[in-house]
Amino acid sequence: MTQYNIKNIREEFRSKGIFYTQPELAEYMKSLIDIEIKDVYDPTCGDGSLLSCFPDDMPKFGQEINGHQLEVASKRLKNFTGVCADTLKEPAFMDKRFSCIVANPPFSIAWEPPQTGLFGDARFNEAPVLPPKSKADYAFLLHIIHLLAEDGVAIVLNFPGILYRGNSEGVLRRWFVGKNWIEKVIQIPGKTFVDTTIATSLLILKKNKSTTNIEFIDNEENLSKVVPLDEIVNNDYNLSVSAYVQKQVDKIVIDPNDLQKKARLGMCNKLRNDIEMDKMICELEGWDFNKYLDDLKSVVNSYYRL
């Protein structure tokens, strides 16, 4: 008989495409919202974990592919409108634009691009290329940016590969940077959260940025850096936090003269101890200690320049 606990229940959920977002992660993502919002939307809302952080009087919207999960969300959330369908295939709320979007979409899952190509879906009309069939990460990002209000903010948890992978994802990353939609990239170290054992990244997206700079934040080292666009372009649009933020390592300056002085002092102390020991043995055994000193003098004198 199978013994169930929280861990293996979550593992079973993952195998069926159900992802759990624990309260600590949800609260952290909410803390990154720095504007006044009037509604909130989660395109892969699951059981409503991310949306549950917002007050009851805040209008909440969500879409979820799993009916049971959506039912849980509907019961736990106040002021909630939910739709059960595949967000990428059958998007809901296409006529709305949200002031806040929070999302923890499944990482790098396969998806089916629109059969009619780039211009068959309003979310992908402007994109220079479609995301690869094997990785839907940028498909979710394109969906999110399409439904984001002009003065809104999106907080999206991502697999870090989207920050540096090439091919069509590299083209889309350049396009996102060129459209000036990325405000911050935050690196979250592995095992920070229960269901996030690998390192992850948070993107903060806005359409009304006042500058073209992007802030890179390393949560593990508590470091950040605001990087100008030209530096990002020169770095081939790599958005990995480690490419811009590194822990400062204090360089140890070694004075070779001081090091040699200490080494010679140590050698002299050792020689003095050896001589004292030999003197003591000579006195006990009745040996000629001066003969030993003469031998030492001979060795030392051989190094004097004549």
Side-chain angles (χ1 to χ4, degrees):
M1 181 177 179
T2 303
Q3 296 294 316
Y4 286 96
N5 55 37
I6 293 296
K7 181 179 179 180
N8 60 37
I9 287 174
R10 291 175 184 168
E11 288 175 350
E12 182 178 345
F13 277 5
R14 287 194 201 96
S15 69
K16 296 178 180 178
I18 302 172
F19 294 84
Y20 172 80
T21 305
Q22 62 271 38
E24 295 86 355
L25 175 55
E27 288 291 345
Y28 176 68
M29 292 174 67
K30 181 190 174 187
S31 73
L32 298 170
I33 299 170
D34 59 356
I35 64 170
E36 195 81 24
I37 63 173
K38 59 184 180 181
D39 52 21
V40 59
Y41 163 64
D42 184 345
T44 54
C45 68
D47 63 3
S49 298
L50 288 178
L51 296 175
S52 66
C53 295
F54 295 86
D56 290 345
D57 61 352
M58 174 73 66
K60 305 172 189 67
F61 300 84
Q63 185 163 350
E64 171 55 40
I65 195 171
N66 181 276
H68 173 70
Q69 288 284 89
L70 186 66
E71 183 179 354
V72 174
S74 299
K75 290 179 178 179
R76 78 185 291 193
L77 299 173
K78 303 291 185 182
N79 205 1
F80 173 66
T81 302
V83 173
C84 183
D86 187 324
T87 300
L88 297 181
K89 288 183 179 179
E90 304 173 70
F93 314 114
M94 289 290 284
D95 59 339
K96 294 185 67 66
R97 296 297 178 266
F98 299 100
S99 63
C100 179
I101 299 178
V102 290
N104 181 11
F107 294 164
S108 301
I109 61 169
W111 74 301
E112 297 179 15
Q115 295 297 320
T116 51
L118 290 177
F119 303 101
D121 191 313
R123 298 169 296 174
F124 310 121
N125 278 353
E126 295 184 18
V129 294
L130 286 174
K133 292 181 179 181
S134 60
K135 298 178 179 65
D137 304 271
Y138 272 97
F140 283 112
L141 288 174
L142 288 168
H143 172 88
I144 288 167
I145 204 70
H146 183 74
L147 270 65
L148 184 65
E150 291 299 319
D151 58 351
V153 60
I155 315 293
V156 189
L157 192 72
N158 298 271
F159 182 73
I162 70 162
L163 304 175
Y164 55 81
R165 288 192 302 229
N167 300 318
S168 59
E169 289 187 309
V171 174
L172 287 167
R173 185 170 59 252
R174 288 170 170 80
W175 187 63
F176 265 70
V177 172
K179 298 290 283 186
N180 201 28
W181 287 334
I182 302 175
E183 182 181 63
K184 297 180 183 180
V185 181
I186 303 174
Q187 177 176 291
I188 299 178
K191 299 182 179 179
T192 299
F193 306 107
V194 176
D195 282 6
T196 316
T197 56
I198 61 172
T200 53
S201 298
L202 273 171
L203 289 186
I204 299 182
L205 307 176
K206 288 183 179 179
K207 293 180 176 178
N208 64 342
K209 289 174 56 185
S210 59
T211 76
T212 58
N213 299 334
I214 298 177
E215 183 177 8
F216 293 85
I217 301 172
D218 184 338
N219 258 5
E220 185 171 17
E221 300 293 346
N222 197 27
L223 299 171
S224 68
K225 180 182 179 182
V226 176
V227 180
L229 176 61
D230 57 354
E231 184 175 344
I232 294 169
V233 172
N234 291 335
N235 204 19
D236 198 25
Y237 294 88
N238 185 343
L239 297 182
S240 298
V241 173
S242 60
Y244 305 97
V245 180
Q246 295 94 23
K247 184 178 180 181
Q248 189 78 25
V249 178
D250 294 333
K251 184 177 180 179
I252 300 175
V253 179
I254 298 176
D255 183 350
N257 293 327
D258 184 61
L259 189 65
Q260 182 67 9
K261 181 178 178 181
K262 290 178 179 178
R264 287 174 176 174
L265 180 61
M267 181 181 64
C268 290
N269 287 336
K270 182 180 184 304
L271 180 59
R272 182 177 290 105
N273 292 333
D274 289 345
I275 293 173
E276 287 291 335
M277 177 62 69
D278 194 270
K279 179 182 178 184
M280 182 178 65
I281 294 173
C282 287
E283 290 175 349
L284 291 173
E285 298 294 336
W287 296 340
D288 185 1
F289 177 64
N290 289 333
K291 178 65 170 60
Y292 172 61
L293 293 179
D294 290 338
D295 291 340
L296 287 177
K297 288 179 182 178
S298 177
V299 172
V300 172
N301 289 336
S302 67
Y303 284 91
Y304 277 101
R305 292 180 179 177
L306 300 178

